Amino acid sequence: MEQSKFEYRAPLQWGDLDPYRRERTHVGMWAWLIQRFSAVLIVIFLTLHLFFTYKPFLQFMLLVAVALHAALGLRVILLDFNLADIKRQRNLVYWLPGIGLALVLLIWGIIY
């Protein structure tokens, strides 16, 4: 019996989990989700900041959320205006938030 070149996969039924979903998930989707989640965190921390001013932990978490959101937004700008190679977008997801968080820690260390 001849083996087919393509693997046959039965269609998923209602409630089945796709076993190949994790392998096909792109890093850009995770960056998009993290940026949206950080936007929600910014709104929450800003609201809390209005009620509990001068709380260092709250200010630090707000600064981290803003840095993460800005770094991933910078990634989108670089890719949209073709200023970065699309083949290196995976590196941008790791490096830009890392640089942003390093800057937050540096600024926080200088201030406090």
Side-chain angles (χ1 to χ4, degrees):
M1 184 168 196
E2 187 173 320
Q3 193 79 328
S4 174
K5 184 177 177 182
F6 300 105
E7 179 184 343
Y8 172 74
R9 196 173 109 193
L12 295 176
Q13 300 298 317
W14 178 258
D16 287 348
L17 294 177
D18 187 0
Y20 301 103
R21 184 177 185 155
R22 189 170 209 171
E23 296 170 4
R24 290 183 291 164
T25 304
H26 298 286
V27 69
M29 186 204 73
W30 290 109
W32 181 83
L33 277 176
I34 292 171
Q35 190 178 20
R36 276 18 181 210
F37 183 69
S38 66
V40 171
L41 287 179
I42 288 170
V43 171
I44 291 171
F45 288 138
L46 270 176
T47 305
L48 289 174
H49 183 69
L50 291 176
F51 293 109
F52 306 107
T53 53
Y54 302 114
K55 299 288 184 189
F57 177 73
L58 211 59
Q59 291 176 339
F60 179 74
M61 294 306 292
L62 178 62
L63 192 59
V64 167
V66 167
L68 190 62
H69 190 78
L72 291 174
L74 182 61
R75 172 191 163 271
V76 171
I77 290 171
L78 289 174
L79 291 176
D80 281 351
F81 287 102
N82 208 13
L83 297 173
D85 189 8
I86 193 72
K87 294 177 184 173
R88 297 176 192 223
Q89 66 125 359
R90 180 179 295 262
N91 294 334
L92 290 175
V93 171
Y94 301 127
W95 280 101
L96 287 176
I99 291 171
L101 293 177
L103 285 174
V104 165
L105 292 176
L106 180 69
I107 291 170
W108 192 258
I110 291 172
I111 292 174
Y112 287 98

